[in-house]
């Protein structure tokens, strides 16, 4: 099965959570009669209180023979650091823009990060059924934003789709209304590249974010950049520092992988083995921190850490 890793980014109230919920429904994650308004992606208590996404969520759907890992990221400027981390796990972004409001300040911040990382953008102009929609103007505003952010020619050639996330449809033509999100799924598979990873090398993964379980404690989440990993295997957790081999054995934490998960729908699914390109979660370390590298003990090569230029929400895992 092939893999695509994407992040969905948007300004507050541009319809990101509703669109993601509809993607889950149409990919068979939801019951047919389950309301998208349940907003299952925003499950953190503060998110429910404020009605915004703060913590990135790792999810996945299968469309045809392709697994699409979907990361729902914050749309509020206060949590830009969380966006920075998540973009390191993906190869493309779905930029969701309201058809009346157009690109907003936070859209600019996240878009700049995505373009600087060389990610492939896909633009969805949402809420095209609004009475005050300005589809053509918003299309041009997005292109102007990309040019202002010095997008490459390939990034400027991003596909545009036109959607009503609330009603669960997307189309490649602004004059056409479809009956599903099929065009969105197909465009993701066609336009976003498969992960550029090394499936045959020794295991290597950068920790991009953290999760928590009362059973296993801290859980490291990231994309496997090289090789594969199995439950029970011994791996090394490398300290933060410069890229390259870590020769000081006393600086490494050694442990066995106690639990290994991939994502399916809204759930973490326990698996025995995972391979390069997939976004996974693993448990078994005491010293898990964002930006650290997990590797094969025989090849302790550190990856580039994660630079965060804005403060993020503090989460107490104790």
């Amino acid at each position: 099965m092939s893999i695509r890793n994407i992040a969905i980014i948007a300004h507050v109230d541009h319809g990101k959570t509703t669109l993601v919920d509809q993607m889950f429904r149409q990919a068979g994650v939801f019951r047919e009669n389950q309301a998208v308004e349940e907003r299952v992606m925003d499950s953190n208590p503060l998110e429910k209180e404020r009605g915004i996404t703060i913590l990135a969520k790792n999810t996945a759907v299968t469309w045809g023979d392709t697994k699409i890992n979907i990361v729902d990221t914050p749309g509020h400027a206060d949590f830009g650091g969380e966006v920075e981390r998540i973009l390191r796990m993906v190869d493309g972004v779905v930029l969701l823009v309201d058809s009346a409001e157009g690109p907003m300040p936070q859209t600019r911040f996240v878009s700049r990060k995505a373009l600087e990382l060389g990610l492939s953008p896909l633009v969805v102009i949402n809420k095209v059924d609004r009475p005050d929609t300005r589809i053509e103007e918003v299309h041009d505003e997005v292109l102007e934003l990309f040019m202002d952010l010095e997008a490459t020619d390939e990034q400027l050639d991003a596909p545009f789709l036109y959607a009503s996330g609330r009603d669960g449809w997307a189309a490649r033509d602004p004059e056409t209304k479809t009956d599903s999100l099929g065009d969105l799924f197909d465009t993701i598979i066609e336009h976003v590249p498969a992960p550029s990873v090394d499936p045959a090398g020794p295991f290597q993964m950068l920790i991009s974010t953290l999760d928590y379980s009362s059973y296993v404690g801290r859980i490291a989440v990231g994309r496997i950049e090289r090789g594969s990993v199995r439950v029970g295997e011994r791996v090394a957790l490398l300290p933060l520092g410069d890229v390259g081999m870590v020769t000081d054995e006393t600086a490494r934490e050694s442990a066995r992988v106690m639990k290994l998960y991939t994502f399916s729908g809204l759930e973490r699914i326990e698996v025995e083995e995972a391979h390069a390109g997939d976004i996974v979660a693993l448990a078994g370390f005491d010293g898990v921190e964002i930006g650290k590298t997990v590797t094969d003990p025989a090849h302790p090569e550190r990856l580039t850490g994660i630079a965060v230029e804005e403060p993020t929400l503090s989460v107490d895992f104790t």
Side-chain angles (χ1 to χ4, degrees):
M1 179 176 289
S2 61
I3 293 176
R4 298 294 186 274
N5 296 321
I6 64 166
I8 298 187
I9 55 179
H11 192 75
V12 176
D13 293 331
H14 280 205
K16 170 167 52 66
T17 299
T18 300
L19 179 68
V20 173
D21 289 349
Q22 285 281 19
M23 293 174 73
F24 292 154
R25 171 186 280 186
Q26 295 190 25
V29 174
F30 284 169
R31 300 185 306 273
E32 184 60 31
N33 62 349
Q34 187 174 2
V36 296
E37 287 79 6
E38 291 178 14
R39 297 174 64 84
V40 293
M41 290 292 285
D42 290 337
S43 56
N44 178 272
L46 185 56
E47 292 173 325
K48 291 180 178 178
E49 176 184 340
R50 297 183 60 180
I52 61 174
T53 300
I54 297 172
L55 299 175
K57 313 298 190 301
N58 296 88
T59 62
V61 299
T62 299
W63 190 257
D65 61 354
T66 301
K67 179 181 181 182
I68 304 174
N69 285 308
I70 303 170
V71 182
D72 181 44
T73 60
H76 195 278
D78 291 347
F79 309 102
E82 186 77 6
V83 173
E84 172 86 6
R85 298 168 181 175
I86 289 307
L87 292 180
R88 292 287 298 274
M89 291 195 293
V90 302
D91 304 286
V93 293
V94 175
L95 175 60
L96 190 67
V97 180
D98 186 289
S99 68
E101 295 185 358
M104 301 294 282
Q106 178 64 1
T107 309
R108 181 184 183 89
F109 167 78
V110 183
S111 298
R112 176 171 61 84
K113 289 295 182 185
L115 296 175
E116 287 175 351
L117 289 169
L119 302 181
S120 299
L122 184 164
V123 181
V124 177
I125 298 180
N126 193 30
K127 304 184 183 181
V128 296
D129 48 354
R130 287 183 57 158
D132 56 348
T133 186
R134 330 179 274 118
I135 294 176
E136 292 185 5
E137 293 94 333
V138 170
H139 180 284
D140 292 344
E141 288 170 7
V142 173
L143 288 179
E144 289 173 6
L145 172 65
F146 283 3
M147 288 187 287
D148 190 39
L149 297 177
E150 300 182 348
T152 65
D153 290 343
E154 291 78 10
Q155 290 169 329
L156 284 170
D157 200 27
F160 279 72
L161 280 81
Y162 309 89
S164 171
R166 180 188 61 187
D167 294 334
W169 63 266
R172 301 175 193 252
D173 185 336
E175 302 298 324
T176 301
K177 178 179 178 179
T178 66
D179 58 2
S180 75
L181 294 173
D183 280 353
L184 174 58
F185 285 117
D186 292 342
T187 305
I188 290 170
I189 293 170
E190 294 165 7
H191 182 70
V192 176
S196 179
V197 293
D198 177 7
F203 172 64
Q204 185 185 50
M205 184 187 96
L206 181 71
I207 300 174
S208 294
T209 188
L210 302 177
D211 206 340
Y212 181 78
S213 163
S214 57
Y215 176 56
V216 297
R218 286 193 173 204
I219 299 172
V221 180
R223 183 177 69 179
I224 300 177
E225 300 294 333
R226 193 170 62 198
S228 60
V229 63
R230 291 183 58 86
V231 172
E233 282 187 343
R234 187 162 290 280
V235 292
L237 179 66
L238 308 182
L240 298 171
D242 296 334
V243 176
M245 299 297 291
V246 177
T247 57
D248 182 1
E249 294 187 12
T250 63
R252 313 172 202 162
E253 179 184 340
S254 179
R256 293 190 184 278
V257 177
M258 184 168 62
K259 295 286 183 180
L260 178 63
Y261 307 92
T262 59
F263 297 91
S264 179
L266 307 171
E267 306 293 331
R268 288 196 307 257
I269 303 298
E270 204 169 324
V271 296
E272 289 297 313
E273 185 174 14
H275 304 276
D278 207 356
I279 294 175
V280 302
L282 58 87
F285 294 103
D286 294 326
V288 168
E289 292 181 30
I290 291 170
K292 288 188 174 182
T293 305
V294 187
T295 70
D296 181 331
H299 199 87
E301 184 178 3
R302 185 162 41 211
L303 289 162
T304 302
I306 298 174
V308 177
E309 68 179 43
E310 291 199 18
T312 64
L313 179 69
S314 176
V315 180
D316 186 358
F317 289 101
T318 59

